[in-house]
Amino acid sequence: LRRQTLAQLLQEAIDMRIDHYPTEEIAGWKVRPGRVIPYGPTLVPGGVNFSIFSSVATACSLLLFDKDSGEALAEIPMPASFRIGDVWAITVFELDPERITYGFRIEGPNDPVAGHRCLPETILLDPRARAITGRDRWGETPDHSDPYPYRALVVPEDFDWRGDRAPDLAACDLVIYEMHVRGFTRHSSSSAKHAGTYAGLVEKIPHLLELGINCVELLPVFEFDEFELSRPNPVTGSLNMNYWGYSTVGFFAPKAGYAATGSAGMQCDEFKTMVRALHAAGIEVILDVVFNHTCEGDHRGPSISFRGLDNKTYYMLTPEGYYYNFSGCGNSLNCNNPVVRSMVI
């Protein structure tokens, strides 16, 4: 009887894990100190855990917005006790992850010569966001006056991969088709129902197999801004856009404008469905990723995430605080730093 009682007590302790419950309330939201690893948003029992790195931040706040209206729901300043080393982490309870977008406000030094460019008035994007809204439909003119043009989404890990496995073909046997996801099916000759999208690519799998293709190498499919450096074509008058996508906004987020369901925030599921279908057809998938620079450019560029979070950690800087530009695209990621290197890996 005594052993049974102890077993019951043990089970009750397991069922009532202390980290499943809030320890305090901030800005009207029930919270507790978060888990540092992994970075980014993670669904946990009863809420969402947010973790972000900044070695220079003197204060960090989590901002929540209504996904549909864009209206601010809360700004939750994290107590100093929520910081472990150079990571700020918070768990927010009773939060519907499918109804919100989020960002961060970082307070810290703004001394460009010393390499610091913190701007507390700027709402920053989580570099580990798995989905980003703001460029949901390709070519839809954005609101350039929006101070927070990219908003991070929390993505539920509920996709059914149906036992998916990559074909694992030998490299020497690959017949690779390098393709631009939009360009591959955008023309009417493709006869794709969902032209210019991940779903459109799935429609053309029989065509790839007919060609003898067993591997596709996709040009950048990570979130970028097609309106970056856009300007009128001097000959046609149409708008020249950033078509290729080699100017990443978020390395972990599939581009919403390449998804037929992007306006519904379902770009991750559509992307995964594409990968699953390609694998089922015996086709490998290679992603073209450019880790040598980001869309933030040089000192004249926008502060979207990395620059405002921890400029000196993420970028290679000259002694005067300007950006080394080994890529010719405005900046160079500081892959010598273990935080950046771990992000790449």
Side-chain angles (χ1 to χ4, degrees):
L1 178 62
R2 183 171 179 272
R3 285 197 298 271
Q4 183 182 9
T5 302
L6 289 173
Q8 290 173 342
L9 290 172
L10 178 60
Q11 186 59 50
E12 289 176 5
I14 293 173
D15 292 341
M16 298 182 65
R17 284 184 53 175
I18 189 65
D19 56 355
H20 288 187
Y21 296 89
T23 58
E24 51 202 290
E25 185 173 306
I26 303 176
W29 291 83
K30 295 177 181 179
V31 302
R32 68 171 293 115
R35 303 176 186 177
V36 172
I37 298 297
Y39 294 151
T42 306
L43 294 177
V44 296
V48 182
N49 187 82
F50 300 90
S51 176
I52 194 160
F53 174 90
S54 177
S55 67
V56 299
T58 56
C60 176
S61 296
L62 172 70
L63 287 83
L64 302 175
F65 302 88
D66 182 86
K67 180 181 176 182
D68 295 326
S69 68
E71 294 182 3
L73 296 176
E75 180 165 345
I76 306 174
M78 298 188 209
S81 58
F82 285 32
R83 175 177 182 169
I84 299 178
D86 294 329
V87 182
W88 300 77
I90 185 172
T91 297
V92 183
F93 293 87
E94 300 177 7
L95 185 63
D96 185 348
E98 299 194 58
R99 300 291 300 170
I100 60 106
T101 62
Y102 73 96
F104 293 96
R105 189 186 308 279
I106 295 293
E107 295 184 31
N110 184 7
D111 183 355
V113 175
H116 305 305
R117 294 181 181 267
C118 292
L119 295 171
E121 66 273 17
T122 301
I123 303 170
L124 300 173
L125 177 69
D126 183 355
R128 297 289 184 131
R130 297 297 180 91
I132 299 170
T133 183
R135 298 293 185 270
D136 300 337
R137 294 183 179 88
W138 177 275
E140 185 173 271
T141 304
D143 178 5
H144 292 291
S145 66
D146 187 347
Y148 184 29
Y150 303 100
R151 303 190 179 210
L153 299 168
V154 180
V155 180
E157 294 292 340
D158 58 355
F159 183 78
D160 183 3
W161 283 99
R162 301 176 187 171
D164 169 78
R165 299 285 291 179
D168 197 24
L169 304 176
C172 61
D173 294 330
L174 297 181
V175 181
I176 302 173
Y177 191 127
E178 183 181 26
M179 70 168 63
H180 186 287
V181 168
R182 179 173 169 79
F184 183 57
T185 61
R186 188 66 189 93
H187 194 269
S188 59
S189 62
S190 75
S191 301
K193 179 180 179 181
H194 302 289
T197 67
Y198 308 122
L201 197 162
V202 173
E203 296 178 57
K204 303 301 292 184
I205 287 177
H207 171 64
L208 293 171
L209 294 175
E210 184 180 353
L211 293 176
I213 302 301
N214 61 13
C215 178
V216 294
E217 179 181 350
L218 306 181
L219 274 65
V221 293
F222 312 98
E223 195 58 61
F224 68 92
D225 179 13
E226 63 267 29
F227 284 89
E228 181 185 23
L229 302 178
S230 58
R231 55 196 179 277
N233 185 304
V235 177
T236 66
S238 62
L239 194 66
N240 282 347
M241 308 175 81
N242 173 10
Y243 187 70
W244 301 106
Y246 289 97
S247 192
T248 306
V249 171
F251 288 104
F252 297 89
K255 179 156 181 62
Y258 284 172
T261 57
S263 59
M266 296 296 291
Q267 58 267 33
C268 291
D269 277 19
E270 186 173 326
F271 182 85
K272 292 173 182 178
T273 299
M274 174 194 70
V275 172
R276 187 181 65 191
L278 287 165
H279 285 173
I283 299 175
E284 298 273 17
V285 181
I286 297 174
L287 304 183
D288 184 350
V289 196
V290 177
F291 283 115
N292 60 6
H293 70 278
T294 76
C295 67
E296 292 185 307
D298 61 17
H299 60 284
R300 298 164 295 183
S303 289
I304 295 173
S305 60
F306 301 105
R307 173 173 293 154
L309 286 170
D310 199 330
N311 187 57
K312 202 169 184 178
T313 288
Y314 283 106
Y315 294 116
M316 300 185 71
L317 304 175
T318 71
E320 299 78 24
Y322 292 103
Y323 296 89
Y324 280 115
N325 185 15
F326 301 128
S327 65
C329 298
N331 60 48
S332 298
L333 271 178
N334 182 21
C335 295
N336 301 307
N337 188 290
V339 170
V340 183
R341 193 161 58 245
S342 68
M343 181 188 76
V344 172
I345 293 172

